[in-house]
């Protein structure tokens, strides 16, 4: 029996392979975290969403950089002092940041 999670993982694994990556569990989980998020995430927010065992922070940064270079994800500038990332497979859209409270 195939579960929804394994079908989803298979889809992300295929996307990773299509652009030349090995479909490791940490890369599949990273792509799934971004794809399932309704808002752009900081590296710290992404890392917090990993369940144990989590990859080390350097692996997360390196994977984000590589995913961005291949167009799997987008880097979003929310005028904060750090980068935010979102899944690249969603339709193009804009983000508005409140100038009073900085909410997206």
């Amino acid at each position: 029996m195939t579960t929804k999670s394994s079908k989803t993982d298979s889809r992300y694994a295929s996307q990773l392979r299509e652009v030349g990556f090995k479909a490791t569990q940490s890369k599949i989980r990273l792509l799934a975290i971004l794809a399932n998020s309704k808002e752009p995430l900081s590296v710290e927010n992404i890392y917090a969403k990993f369940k144990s065992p989590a990859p080390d922070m350097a692996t997360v940064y390196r994977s984000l950089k590589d995913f961005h270079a291949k167009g799997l994800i987008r880097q979003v500038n929310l005028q904060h002092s750090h980068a935010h990332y979102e899944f690249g497979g969603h339709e193009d859209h804009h983000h508005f940041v409140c100038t009073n409270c900085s909410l997206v």
Side-chain angles (χ1 to χ4, degrees):
M1 179 174 175
T2 305
T3 64
K4 183 179 178 186
S5 178
S6 64
K7 285 182 184 179
T8 303
D9 286 355
S10 177
R11 187 179 79 220
Y12 298 134
S14 294
Q15 287 179 316
L16 289 165
R17 289 187 193 104
E18 284 174 12
V19 295
F21 292 118
K22 287 184 181 179
T24 63
Q25 276 303 107
S26 63
K27 287 180 180 166
I28 291 168
R29 288 169 40 205
L30 175 57
L31 202 54
I33 287 168
L34 290 166
N36 293 321
S37 177
K38 297 191 183 309
E39 62 187 13
L41 298 172
S42 68
V43 176
E44 291 77 18
N45 292 136
I46 293 167
Y47 192 75
K49 291 184 179 289
F50 271 98
K51 294 188 174 31
S52 188
D56 61 50
M57 190 66 91
T59 299
V60 173
Y61 273 104
R62 188 172 39 256
S63 295
L64 289 169
K65 179 180 161 240
D66 293 342
F67 287 6
H68 182 255
K70 295 286 187 172
L72 290 173
I73 64 172
R74 289 187 280 252
Q75 186 173 348
V76 180
N77 182 356
L78 298 177
Q79 302 299 313
H80 297 150
S81 60
H82 54 272
H84 289 77
Y85 298 90
E86 66 183 4
F87 185 62
H90 299 308
E91 292 182 18
D92 285 336
H93 56 279
H94 300 280
H95 299 278
F96 296 95
V97 180
C98 177
T99 56
N100 291 327
C101 66
S102 297
L103 285 176
V104 180

